[in-house]
């Protein structure tokens, strides 16, 4: 059965919370007898109510002083509500969630508050559109070339982009929305699906680096099943899985992941190395096949202090001692390229060589 929730900053402590609409009609207002009482001067005593009309959920304004707005449109008459809609009463914003839920849990208490644990400046727009994007697979993949020390193309990285007319293309912005709805894994899987399809247009002797969301590591069994399915569909594609540095925190776990990947003939790369805490212990105890230096280490390396250049060179040498290839990403100038190659970095990536989506022949 579909159950409606409202989420936003409506508790006394302004904690981002969720409440179940566990009876109809459901009144929202300032008075304590409301289904959702909100102590805010801009909200009327009985401001608006959610009710059932013609088999669907609708909302209507109850003669409030400051009006009720749905997706920034003022409600004049009873209006149907959908999953992902943004409701504004006075200066309080609520997001509508319509989902499947065990209704027996809702009958036990008048209010069901669930803190989401997210700290947001405001309700994130685009949840409704993101649902459409995932359902309709409105994404695309751009492949960015990776070069070796001799400037020959040896690999590509699969980079996902949104393709919904009302949402940004940026994967970062899309994941920000997805993380508020628990849809980050679904979005990640969709990006990878689009990327793998795109590899059919490229030479099969290249390596193809792909990313996953950190949340996907939380359940290794599900991750392994997904990787096994990918290998079944793409038996000959050379793949390298990139795991974000911040997700590399358990040596035993990473060793297990590495062994499973190698059994599937998939390489392992640690991504964004240097962007946060440099996990040197993991490099020795659960060493990857490739270590990707974050752009923060590489940017302006040609004009960096001798101490910084020496530090990066030492990291390169240490990685080589462990049998790890080093990839520098974010290279944008000829001088950055020159220094990176001088200190022995194996693989090179950045706008200097080719932007995402550009076919490069060398």
């Amino acid at each position: 059965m579909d159950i409606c929730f409202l989420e936003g900053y409506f508790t006394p402590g302004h904690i981002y919370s969720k409440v179940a609409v566990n009876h109809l009609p459901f009144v929202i207002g300032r008075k304590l007898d409301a289904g959702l009482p909100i102590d805010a001067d801009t909200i009327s005593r009985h401001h608006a109510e959610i009710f059932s009309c013609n088999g669907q959920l609708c909302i209507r304004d109850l003669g409030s002083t400051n009006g009720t707005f749905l997706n920034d449109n003022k409600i004049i008459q009873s209006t149907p509500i959908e999953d992902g809609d943004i409701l504004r009463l006075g200066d309080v914003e609520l997001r509508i969630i319509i989902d499947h839920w065990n209704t027996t849990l809702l009958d036990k208490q008048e209010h069901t508050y669930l803190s989401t644990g997210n700290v947001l400046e405001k309700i994130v727009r685009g949840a409704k559109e993101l649902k459409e994007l995932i359902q309709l697979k409105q994404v695309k993949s751009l492949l960015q070339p990776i070069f070796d020390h001799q400037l020959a193309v040896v690999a590509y990285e699969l980079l996902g982009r949104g393709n919904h007319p009302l949402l940004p293309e940026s994967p970062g912005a899309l994941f920000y929305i997805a993380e508020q709805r628990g849809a980050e894994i679904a979005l990640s899987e969709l990006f990878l699906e689009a990327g793998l399809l795109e590899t059919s247009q490229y030479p099969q002797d290249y390596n193809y680096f792909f990313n996953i969301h950190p949340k996907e590591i939380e359940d290794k069994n599900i991750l392994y099943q997904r990787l096994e399915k990918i290998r079944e569909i793409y038996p000959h594609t050379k793949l390298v899985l990139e795991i974000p540095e911040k997700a590399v925190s358990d040596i035993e776990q990473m060793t297990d992941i590495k062994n499973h990947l190698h059994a599937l003939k998939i390489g392992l790369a640690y991504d964004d190395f240097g962007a946060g805490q440099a996990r040197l212990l993991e490099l020795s105890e659960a060493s990857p096949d490739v270590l990707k230096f974050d752009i923060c280490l590489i940017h302006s390396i040609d004009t960096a202090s001798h101490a910084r250049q020496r530090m990066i060179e030492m990291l390169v040498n240490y990685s080589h001692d462990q049998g790890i290839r080093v990839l520098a990403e974010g290279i944008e100038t000829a001088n950055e390229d020159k220094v990176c190659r001088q200190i022995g970095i194996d693989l090179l990536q950045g706008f200097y060589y080719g932007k995402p989506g550009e076919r490069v022949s060398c």
Side-chain angles (χ1 to χ4, degrees), residues 102-151:
N102 187 344
T103 57
T104 59
L105 297 176
L106 304 182
D107 297 331
K108 295 181 180 180
Q109 57 190 110
E110 183 177 357
H111 301 299
T112 305
Y113 288 111
L114 303 171
S115 175
T116 67
N118 297 319
V119 179
L120 307 173
E121 293 182 359
K122 59 183 296 185
I123 299 289
V124 178
R125 260 51 174 189
K128 181 177 179 180
E129 290 78 11
L130 183 75
K131 184 177 180 180
E132 295 176 350
L133 177 146
I134 293 174
Q135 290 177 339
L136 300 177
K137 299 185 176 182
Q138 293 175 309
V139 300
K140 59 186 177 182
S141 183
L142 303 179
L143 275 61
Q144 186 173 27
I146 297 171
F147 294 75
D148 65 11
H149 193 268
Q150 287 74 41
L151 296 185

Side-chain angles (χ1 to χ4, degrees), residues 55-73:
Q56 65 181 127
L57 292 175
C58 296
I59 191 165
R60 60 185 165 211
D61 185 77
L62 297 178
S64 67
T65 301
N66 294 313
T68 301
F69 296 79
L70 188 67
N71 300 322
D72 293 326
N73 296 312

Side-chain angles (χ1 to χ4, degrees), residues 254-316:
M254 293 312 305
T255 300
D256 187 69
I257 290 176
K258 177 182 176 180
N259 291 337
H260 200 91
L261 288 170
H262 283 186
L264 294 172
K265 296 184 179 180
I266 298 175
L268 172 64
Y270 289 166
D271 193 18
D272 302 327
F273 184 83
Q277 179 182 354
R279 302 185 184 278
L280 298 177
L281 185 59
E282 282 77 3
L283 289 184
S284 59
E285 300 296 328
S287 59
D289 301 295
V290 179
L291 183 65
K292 294 191 70 174
F293 282 2
D294 188 76
I295 189 173
C296 69
L297 289 180
I298 302 303
H299 181 65
S300 300
I301 189 175
D302 53 308
T303 58
S305 66
H306 176 74
R308 178 182 162 196
Q309 290 184 358
R310 178 58 181 153
M311 175 199 70
I312 296 174
E313 186 175 8
M314 289 174 63
L315 287 172
V316 171

